[in-house]
Amino acid sequence: MSEEAGAREPGREGRDPEAVSRFVEGFAAQLVEAGMQRMPARVFAALLASDSGTLTSAELGGQLQVSPAAVSGAVRYLAQQHMVSREREPGSRRERYRVHSNQWYEALTNREAVLKRWEAALREGVASLGAGTPAGRRMAETLAFFEFVDDEIAAMMERWREHREKVFGPGPAS
């Protein structure tokens, strides 16, 4: 990790940079195994491991030993997935990338829109193929599954908000 990146991060004293790097790479490997692209996984893990939750492209590039273009592509993907946000540094053209404490909540609830689109497509498929046909029945069962998952996610997110408030106190408005 670059000296500059470490110096800007409060609370970093006494941390073993090698242990942090092992965590970042290990957690990124888990995200890759779950289906995320490698570079976004590394950038996300690095942001998650930073005390401030924010790093610049140069800081990320230095820590991960990658090009600014690699960081830019990764951040673009993560922003589309609602896992990070971009913030302009006051009085500068430089951007900082931020991971929020509720990034998992945001990422999961944004999947709800995808489920709704899949449900609409499946409804159309059932209507087109006929509910009584083998293909129509498979689509109807798939539709029922996605409707079930959609309902469960909504209920689970409500339970999470209650649990989070009990454990961590009032959080960001969602």
Side-chain angles (χ1 to χ4, degrees):
M1 177 190 288
S2 74
E3 211 40 49
E4 181 181 338
R8 290 185 179 185
E9 185 112 73
R12 301 273 326 225
E13 303 81 24
R15 258 196 213 157
D16 177 2
E18 290 299 316
V20 173
S21 181
R22 280 192 306 275
F23 164 76
V24 166
E25 296 304 327
F27 188 59
Q30 294 297 315
L31 294 171
V32 168
E33 196 171 302
M36 187 182 281
Q37 299 167 8
R38 185 171 185 269
M39 191 53 59
R42 292 181 73 213
V43 167
F44 181 74
L47 284 167
L48 194 61
S50 70
D51 282 340
S52 65
T54 68
L55 294 169
T56 65
S57 180
E59 290 167 338
L60 283 163
Q63 179 179 342
L64 301 174
Q65 298 180 345
V66 297
S67 72
V71 171
S72 178
V75 168
R76 184 173 33 258
Y77 171 84
L78 292 167
Q80 289 170 346
Q81 302 303 311
H82 305 279
M83 295 179 76
V84 302
S85 60
R86 296 172 190 250
E87 299 172 353
R88 181 84 55 197
E89 281 189 356
S92 169
R93 293 180 54 200
R94 236 176 16 176
E95 288 185 328
R96 297 191 73 75
Y97 308 116
R98 175 178 300 279
V99 65
H100 298 279
S101 62
N102 62 344
Q103 78 276 352
W104 298 114
Y105 172 86
E106 290 296 324
L108 191 55
T109 54
N110 283 306
R111 295 285 183 239
E112 193 174 0
V114 172
L115 286 175
K116 293 291 186 196
R117 289 194 305 269
W118 289 355
E119 289 171 18
L122 288 164
R123 272 189 205 87
E124 186 177 315
V126 170
S128 298
L129 296 167
T133 67
R137 179 170 162 64
R138 268 194 314 276
M139 282 197 198
E141 187 173 339
T142 303
L143 171 59
F145 172 76
F146 285 129
E147 289 171 336
F148 174 82
V149 168
D150 194 22
D151 289 344
E152 289 298 308
I153 288 174
M156 183 177 61
M157 290 297 100
E158 183 54 38
R159 289 192 310 274
W160 165 246
R161 282 189 291 275
E162 292 168 6
H163 176 75
R164 184 181 190 280
E165 189 161 333
K166 273 191 249 176
V167 174
F168 297 104
S174 44

